[in-house]
Amino acid sequence: LQFLYFIGPCSQLSNMSNQQSAFSTLPPITAGAASVALIMYPADVMRALKMASAGGGESSAFVLLKNFIQAHGMKGLASQGVLPELIQRTWSRISKFFMFPVLHRAIWNMEPSQGTPFTKGSAAMVATLPEMWTCTPFETAKVALQLDSTNRFKNSAWGVAKWIYKERGWKGLYCGYAGLQYRQACWTSIYFATVDDITKKTREATKATGLLSDASSNRFGAVLGGFVAGMVGAAVNTPGDVVRTNVQKAEMAKWINPPAGYVTPNYRFGPSYVWSGVTVSAEMTRHIVTQSGVGGLWKGFIFKSVHLGGGGALLNLLIPVFKGMMGVTKE
């Protein structure tokens, strides 16, 4: 009942002059999320290619890019897997940016602006659960398309999803879930726990230079603060992303060209299925460290930091801008 109280169309807090519904934040969040997903997509392609090389094979960014362009052409940088990427990234950001303040109010009985880094980080971590339950199939399809060097699936998200479902059932669409959940929980909790404080500092530092007007300083400070918070989160969550990308890559290779004697596991959904995801991720972590050293867990960090740092910067700027344009004042 408390949860419904906070998200209902007529919800309101007695100590707030702002009487808008939590749902009033959806249009500006959606506009910001879709814009960022489209802008940052090429960086996401390079991030996926670089991290997928951590388990062995050619890891030069130049060679990876060359091979990708040979398979898909230059337009592939902007289109290969773009549909599942736009859907997944947009929904992912909508989910977390909408659910974060709702959960913060529900769990801690206060607005995020009144919270501490701990209350913000914990609420944000919980917000990643429904996010990844709904987003993982899109992420799996996207990675399959970005790693499709022979263009087998013709850039069809529906085609690759049907193929995965045929080979492994619905559980195949959640391949690499453990790494994905780790990735999202780390980045989201760190970003929301730190972005407000970092943005306050960057705005103060920008204003102190005297080079920009107050309005420009606020905008530039928001971009810089979001970028720093996003990069800090990326530094922590990159290993999880590297591991899950390589888990998905290795599993899909087995599905396409099963080795002799390979038997598809038939886990029932339950503790054993969940635990299998953890053990597979742990085995892949050991494999990557053996092949590439500990640094292999941070392969693709440059592209990932650009992607998540840039995404964090744009979200920190655009969502408030769209809120102002749409007259939304609700946190």
Side-chain angles (χ1 to χ4, degrees):
L1 289 175
Q2 183 185 29
F3 178 76
L4 293 175
Y5 171 82
F6 279 111
I7 68 172
C10 297
S11 65
Q12 51 182 275
L13 297 173
S14 60
N15 63 339
M16 293 176 59
S17 60
N18 178 11
Q19 302 298 308
Q20 292 179 332
S21 163
F23 287 108
S24 66
T25 64
L26 279 176
I29 290 174
T30 301
S35 300
V36 174
L38 185 62
I39 293 169
M40 300 307 299
Y41 180 73
D44 189 60
V45 172
M46 288 305 303
R47 174 188 62 84
L49 293 174
K50 189 67 177 176
M51 288 189 301
S53 70
E58 180 57 60
S59 61
S60 163
F62 175 77
V63 173
L64 289 170
L65 181 61
K66 177 183 175 183
N67 292 340
F68 184 88
I69 291 175
Q70 285 179 345
H72 305 291
M74 287 296 294
K75 67 178 182 179
L77 289 174
S79 64
Q80 191 66 12
V82 70
L83 180 60
E85 166 67 3
L86 288 178
I87 293 174
Q88 185 267 329
R89 288 290 178 187
T90 300
W91 172 247
S92 174
R93 292 178 175 116
I94 291 172
S95 175
K96 78 177 86 200
F97 276 84
F98 173 73
M99 291 301 299
F100 163 66
V102 168
L103 287 169
H104 195 280
R105 288 190 287 268
I107 296 170
W108 300 107
N109 197 29
M110 67 177 77
E111 291 295 320
S113 59
Q114 300 171 321
T116 66
F118 175 78
T119 65
K120 294 174 186 177
S122 58
M125 185 175 292
V126 176
T128 65
L129 292 173
E131 175 191 358
M132 295 320 299
W133 293 338
T134 54
C135 288
T136 297
F138 293 107
E139 186 78 20
T140 303
K142 180 197 71 175
V143 170
L145 290 178
Q146 291 177 344
L147 300 177
D148 181 19
S149 60
T150 62
N151 206 21
R152 170 179 177 174
F153 299 108
K154 309 299 182 185
N155 197 30
S156 170
W158 175 241
V160 73
K162 286 196 301 182
W163 176 78
I164 293 173
Y165 182 78
K166 178 182 177 182
E167 292 294 320
R168 291 291 298 272
W170 69 268
K171 288 179 286 189
L173 294 170
Y174 284 82
C175 177
Y177 170 80
L180 279 167
Q181 187 63 65
Y182 166 85
R183 179 193 79 175
Q184 291 303 102
C186 285
W187 188 87
T188 305
S189 60
I190 291 172
Y191 180 82
F192 281 105
T194 63
V195 68
D196 290 339
D197 290 337
I198 293 175
T199 300
K200 181 180 178 181
K201 297 293 185 184
T202 53
R203 281 175 169 166
E204 290 174 353
T206 303
K207 289 179 181 178
T209 64
L211 299 175
L212 300 172
S213 65
D214 285 350
S216 296
S217 294
N218 284 334
R219 287 192 292 269
F220 184 75
V223 170
L224 188 58
F227 186 80
V228 172
M231 281 197 66
V232 173
V236 177
N237 86 343
T238 294
D241 213 5
V242 169
V243 170
R244 71 90 190 176
T245 300
N246 283 276
V247 166
Q248 291 175 321
K249 177 184 175 183
E251 286 298 303
M252 290 174 190
K254 292 177 184 178
W255 302 344
I256 296 173
N257 297 302
Y262 175 74
V263 178
T264 300
N266 186 27
Y267 296 111
R268 291 183 178 180
F269 184 74
S272 63
Y273 174 70
V274 175
W275 182 247
S276 71
V278 176
T279 57
V280 167
S281 296
E283 297 247 351
M284 180 57 71
T285 301
R286 286 194 291 270
H287 173 70
I288 292 171
V289 172
T290 300
Q291 292 289 320
S292 307
V294 176
L297 294 173
W298 276 267
K299 277 199 174 181
F301 173 70
I302 293 176
F303 296 108
K304 186 174 176 65
S305 63
V306 169
H307 183 262
L308 290 181
L314 291 171
L315 287 165
N316 203 32
L317 173 69
L318 292 179
I319 290 179
V321 168
F322 283 120
K323 279 186 172 182
M325 291 171 60
M326 298 178 187
V328 176
T329 57
K330 184 77 172 178
E331 285 192 44

